[in-house]
């Protein structure tokens, strides 16, 4: 059992690597996508909406195969890790764009008006007034999504990224102990999810505590 | 100083005697097919306190928001001293900044920044737009908070303050940029009467110090006793304007008589 577990644990850095890199990609690209969706120009907004719809409608595994075997196969040489991060990162960007859009809508109009009459410049309005409130509103939803992404990162194993699921498959093939191996794998995912959930709750609560001081 | 015992200003300045400080010429504002302001003409001189009253939907707040271009007028001209802004020509950003630099505004819903302490709310724009150092700005903010009776709240977040306190903080925040004209958009409408009184006391004090103020309000007592002049609006037009005592006690326009009667009967 210890051998099984230690094999599975060698997958943890890969699982965390794919999750963190894809999440970071999504958090940043999500802003750009959200800006596109909220653009004044109807054409740009429609383009943004179309990109979000496409990214959200196609199953992750199809995206990953499209990127790795499709684009990576003929045009660009991509490692499994990069392809997985790119694919999951783009899907995350679409989700985050929607999270940001909701958060923008939750900031009262009066906040912008106050910033205008105080003569704050557009970057000051964004960084001093909008971004901190946007972050606060987005954190709980983003954390829920991050936990989901941690699980969905298992799809990277289909490209050959040596993550937890990949190791579990290998070990179960060698030992024929499918039940034990996949139970252990489930446990590892669970243990990895808990800190994210706790951290999110802690951050939300401490932000809440701060503003009610 | 107890904000409740502020002396009323003694001598109301005569509008005609001084040159106009703010002048609105033929202001029109259209939202889609709706004309919210129709040919509004108005002027005031420095140090004057003007109350704008009237039924809901009469265009009072829109007029106020046209003055600092939160709602740019569809047509018409706004002059603030030498600054001349005509809706017919595109507004230069420099002029907009100059205009807003000289006008402070207080909103019905306070609009404090919830993620900043009270002190930072008051200091932020001083640092960002006046280029003061954080220390200078904080020192000035504490003076202003002292003046509205809230220095002890400096380290708190707005959510921990009552509505009346938040509105006084919002006044301090607007004053921090040293405006020459203060616009108040129904500053007490979101407050219960008792909390409204603290805010009105601060406004009275400001008026007594000679601040030029335009106050959109439903507080008839404030309009009559604190303001020098009352403007009555309905349906996007100014129906009547004049010295507050005269307009409030002997209104000429039939609609104004009815409105004031309705307010008193409430």
């Amino acid at each position: 059992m210890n051998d099984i577990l230690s094999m599975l644990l060698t997958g943890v850095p890969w699982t965390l690597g794919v999750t963190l890199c894809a999440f970071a990609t999504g958090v940043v690209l999500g802003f750009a996508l959200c800006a596109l969706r909220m653009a004044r120009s109807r054409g740009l907004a429609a383009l943004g909406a179309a990109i979000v719809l496409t990214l959200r409608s196609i199953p992750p595994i199809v995206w990953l195969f499209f990127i790795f075997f499709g684009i990576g196969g003929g045009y660009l040489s991509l490692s499994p890790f990069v392809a997985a991060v790119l694919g999951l990162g783009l899907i995350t960007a679409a989700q985050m764009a929607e999270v940001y859009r909701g958060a923008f809508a939750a900031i009262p109009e009066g906040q912008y008006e106050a910033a205008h009459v105080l003569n704050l410049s557009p970057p000051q309005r964004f960084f001093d007034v909008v971004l901190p409130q946007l972050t606060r509103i987005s954190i709980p939803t983003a954390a829920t999504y991050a936990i989901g992404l941690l699980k969905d990162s298992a799809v990277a194993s289909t490209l050959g990224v040596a993550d937890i699921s990949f190791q579990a498959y290998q070990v179960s093939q060698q030992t024929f102990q499918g039940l034990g191996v996949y139970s252990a794998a489930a446990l590892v995912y669970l243990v990895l999810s808990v800190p994210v959930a706790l951290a999110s709750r802690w951050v939300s609560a401490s932000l809440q505590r701060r503003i009610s001081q | 100083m107890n904000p409740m015992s502020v002396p009323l200003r003694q001598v109301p300045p005569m509008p005609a005697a001084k040159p106009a400080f703010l002048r609105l010429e033929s202001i029109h504002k259209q939202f889609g097919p709706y004309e919210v302001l129709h040919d509004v003409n108005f002027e005031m001189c420095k140090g004057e306190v003007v109350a704008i009253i009237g039924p809901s939907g009469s265009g009072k707040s829109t007029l106020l928001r046209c003055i600092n271009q939160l709602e740019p007028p569809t047509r018409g001209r706004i002059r603030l001293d030498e600054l001349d802004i005509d809706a017919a020509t595109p507004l230069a950003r420099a002029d907009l900044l100059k205009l807003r630099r000289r006008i402070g505004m207080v909103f019905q819903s306070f609009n404090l920044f919830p993620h900043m302490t009270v002190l930072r709310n008051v200091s932020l724009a001083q640092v960002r737009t006046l280029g003061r150092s954080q220390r200078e700005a904080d020192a000035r903010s504490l003076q202003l908070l002292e003046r509205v009776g809230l220095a002890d709240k400096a380290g708190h977040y707005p959510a921990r303050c009552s509505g009346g306190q938040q509105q006084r903080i919002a006044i301090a925040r607007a004053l921090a940029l040293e405006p020459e004209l203060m616009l108040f958009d129904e500053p007490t409408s979101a407050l219960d009467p008792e909390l409204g009184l603290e805010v009105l006391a601060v406004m009275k004090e400001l008026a007594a110090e000679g601040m030029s103020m335009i106050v959109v309000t439903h507080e008839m007592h404030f309009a009559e006793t604190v303001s020098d002049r009352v403007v009555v609006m309905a349906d996007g037009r100014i129906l009547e304007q004049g010295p507050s005592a005269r307009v409030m006690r002997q209104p000429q326009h039939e609609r104004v008589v009815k409105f004031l009667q309705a307010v008193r009967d409430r």
Side-chain angles (χ1 to χ4, degrees):
Chain A
M1 190 66 195
N2 270 345
D3 292 348
I4 295 175
L5 204 57
S6 61
M7 276 292 282
L8 291 182
L9 289 180
T10 60
V12 170
W14 289 101
T15 292
L16 289 180
V18 169
T19 306
L20 291 177
C21 294
F23 191 65
T25 308
V27 163
V28 176
L29 280 186
F31 257 113
L33 211 46
C34 179
L36 199 59
R37 270 215 77 168
M38 293 172 69
R40 282 212 192 102
S41 140
R42 282 213 192 144
L44 287 180
L47 177 68
I51 296 174
V52 169
L53 183 70
T54 311
L55 286 170
R56 296 216 298 176
S57 311
I58 297 174
I61 195 165
V62 176
W63 263 122
L64 261 56
F65 283 10
F66 173 76
I67 290 171
F68 186 64
F69 297 114
I71 300 175
Y75 304 95
L76 270 172
S77 153
L78 295 172
S79 75
F81 180 80
V82 171
V85 166
L86 200 59
L88 292 172
L90 285 172
I91 296 170
T92 307
Q95 300 286 1
M96 289 308 293
E98 293 301 280
V99 172
Y100 296 146
R101 205 161 65 99
F104 267 116
I107 298 176
E109 187 57 32
Q111 293 288 307
Y112 299 99
E113 291 186 348
H116 274 289
V117 301
L118 291 173
N119 253 347
L120 298 182
S121 68
Q124 289 166 350
R125 288 202 292 268
F126 183 74
F127 288 106
D128 288 326
V129 178
V130 177
L131 188 61
Q133 300 193 56
L134 197 72
T135 313
R136 190 179 306 255
I137 300 168
S138 306
I139 283 177
T141 328
T144 308
Y145 186 76
I147 295 171
L149 185 64
L150 182 77
K151 297 179 296 175
D152 291 343
S153 72
V155 73
S157 66
T158 58
L159 303 186
V161 176
D163 71 349
I164 299 167
S165 303
F166 181 87
Q167 302 295 351
Y169 179 73
Q170 299 288 325
V171 178
S172 71
Q173 290 294 299
Q174 290 158 15
T175 61
F176 302 106
Q177 291 182 6
L179 185 65
V181 171
Y182 281 104
S183 302
L187 192 69
V188 175
Y189 278 109
L190 183 69
V191 168
L192 290 180
S193 306
V194 171
V196 181
L198 288 180
S200 140
R201 209 170 297 170
W202 180 79
V203 171
S204 301
S206 66
L207 287 176
Q208 201 55 47
R209 243 197 330 276
R210 269 194 46 192
I211 61 163
S212 53
Q213 249 166 25
Chain B
M1 175 175 190
N2 177 3
M4 300 294 171
S5 64
V6 174
L8 295 184
R9 61 171 47 216
Q10 301 300 316
V11 190
M14 294 306 292
K18 287 191 193 173
F21 165 56
L22 173 73
R23 190 183 203 138
L24 308 182
E25 290 172 21
S26 194
I27 299 291
H28 290 254
K29 178 68 188 179
Q30 202 136 355
F31 287 117
Y34 303 104
E35 188 159 57
V36 187
L37 292 176
H38 180 83
D39 193 23
V40 174
N41 292 282
F42 168 86
E43 59 177 72
M44 71 185 281
C45 48
K46 215 159 191 168
E48 231 189 329
V49 176
V50 179
I52 305 181
I53 62 172
S56 298
S58 55
K60 309 181 294 284
S61 290
T62 306
L63 180 63
L64 205 63
R65 294 158 63 86
C66 278
I67 296 174
N68 66 358
Q69 303 282 316
L70 270 185
E71 302 287 0
T74 315
R75 270 184 291 146
R77 201 164 186 182
I78 293 169
R79 294 193 201 201
L80 186 74
D81 273 348
E82 78 298 337
L83 208 60
D84 186 349
I85 292 173
D86 192 336
T89 51
L91 177 57
R93 184 156 169 81
D95 280 346
L96 177 66
L97 292 179
K98 265 192 228 158
L99 180 79
R100 290 199 175 141
R101 169 72 190 77
R102 300 171 64 173
I103 303 178
M105 186 169 195
V106 172
F107 301 89
Q108 181 178 349
S109 49
F110 332 133
N111 298 344
L112 293 177
F113 302 129
H115 55 290
M116 295 177 194
T117 60
V118 167
L119 185 68
R120 183 131 191 272
N121 261 283
V122 184
S123 295
L124 178 74
Q126 299 178 57
V127 175
R128 296 288 188 261
T129 67
L130 298 187
R132 288 187 183 149
S133 73
Q134 191 67 50
R135 259 180 68 180
E136 272 177 302
D138 286 348
R140 176 79 186 124
S141 301
L142 278 173
Q143 283 174 0
L144 287 163
L145 287 170
E146 185 88 45
R147 186 162 152 195
V148 299
L150 291 170
D152 57 324
K153 296 282 180 191
H156 290 224
Y157 283 83
R160 276 286 299 275
C161 303
S162 72
Q165 291 170 339
Q166 292 194 41
Q167 194 60 297
R168 283 146 66 196
I169 295 161
I171 294 174
R173 178 174 73 174
L175 290 176
L177 296 181
E178 286 155 17
E180 295 164 52
L181 168 66
M182 285 282 283
L183 307 177
F184 291 85
D185 190 4
E186 302 196 22
T188 57
S189 297
L191 302 171
D192 68 40
E194 207 175 341
L195 296 181
L197 277 182
E198 344 172 319
V199 173
L200 291 173
V202 169
M203 292 167 61
K204 268 187 202 172
E205 192 175 345
L206 266 184
E209 286 166 11
M211 174 63 81
S212 312
M213 294 161 60
I214 304 179
V215 185
V216 168
T217 187
H218 293 292
E219 304 275 354
M220 296 303 148
H221 185 72
F222 181 89
E224 186 167 347
T225 58
V226 182
S227 60
D228 304 310
R229 198 143 55 92
V230 171
V231 172
V232 191
M233 289 184 70
D235 304 326
R237 292 160 208 264
I238 292 181
L239 295 185
E240 187 164 347
Q241 55 177 315
S244 23
R246 211 271 294 141
V247 174
M248 299 302 283
R249 292 194 201 139
Q250 294 148 352
Q252 311 291 309
H253 197 286
E254 193 188 345
R255 182 92 198 266
V256 179
V257 175
K258 262 185 166 167
F259 171 71
L260 289 173
Q261 193 58 49
V263 172
R264 289 206 179 96
D265 289 349
R266 212 164 43 140

